[in-house]
Structures are given as C-alpha cells and as structure tokens.
Amino acid sequence: QVQLVESGGGLVQPGGSLRLSCAASGNIFSMYAMGWYRQAPGKQREWVASITLADIASYRPSVLGRFTISRDYAKNTVHLQMNSLKPEDTAVYFCNKYAGVPFSWGQGTQVTVSS
C-alpha cells in the first residue's frame, strides 16, 4: 500500500511563495507520471500540474507561469514550487498519480493565501 505524504503548506501573503513536497512509501516516482491536485472549501478536487516520466510538465491555465512541478529521483520526492500566490490558490494540496487508478489519497497540505 503506497502512502503519500504532502508537506510544505502554510499561510502566505498574496504574492508570496511556497514549495510543496510529496514523499511516498515506495519508489513510485520513477514508475508513474505524477500530479498535484487541490481542493478548496466547498469545491471539487482539481488538477493543478503534472509531470511525465520524461519530465514533461503540464499546468492548469490559472497557475501557468507561476507554479513549477519537479521530480527529485535521488530523494524520491515530487515538488511544486508556487510563486506569485493569489488568494484563489487557497486550498488543500495533494499529490497522486496523474493517470489511472489513484493511490490512496494522503492528508494533503493546507495552503492559505491571505493578507
């Protein structure tokens, strides 16, 4: 059973930055395309960014140019660098497979953008 653990969230002012990390119990990041997702209060979980095994990244339009997804094979982690944060980025952020049956969802990490 793969366990995903997200970290790095917090409270940040608009325009600020955060770097999220995703660790897994198994060496899954070299086997699957991975994605970051988020869920705001009262809304459905949505896809934010993904990275393929060839390290090709994709982003939802609202974060393009502000967020960067990356994979660290040596540390078995996936990161999401978030810059120029906006209040509408406030959500719980999760990582999981980009395609196919997802692993069990982790607890996520809360990102709050507020002045």
Side-chain angles (χ1 to χ4, degrees):
Q1 181 93 5
V2 172
Q3 290 185 318
L4 299 167
V5 179
E6 301 88 353
S7 63
L11 173 63
V12 64
Q13 292 187 341
S17 297
L18 285 172
R19 186 178 191 234
L20 306 184
S21 297
C22 172
S25 57
N27 186 21
I28 64 169
F29 298 134
S30 61
M31 298 171 62
Y32 300 100
M34 295 298 296
W36 280 96
Y37 304 82
R38 66 187 181 188
Q39 187 167 18
K43 295 187 177 181
Q44 288 191 332
R45 185 178 290 145
E46 64 183 17
W47 167 78
V48 176
S50 56
I51 186 165
T52 69
L53 290 173
D55 285 341
I56 296 172
S58 300
Y59 303 91
R60 70 181 300 109
S62 62
V63 308
L64 185 63
R66 300 189 297 122
F67 290 11
T68 302
I69 188 172
S70 61
R71 186 200 308 260
D72 187 332
Y73 289 98
K75 296 183 179 180
N76 198 33
T77 55
V78 173
H79 300 286
L80 185 68
Q81 176 68 43
M82 305 187 297
N83 300 327
S84 301
L85 282 161
K86 303 177 181 180
E88 52 263 42
D89 295 319
T90 295
V92 179
Y93 284 70
F94 304 85
C95 67
N96 213 313
K97 283 196 290 185
Y98 174 57
V101 178
F103 298 120
S104 296
W105 293 90
Q107 299 276 7
T109 185
Q110 176 70 49
V111 171
T112 303
V113 185
S114 175
S115 55

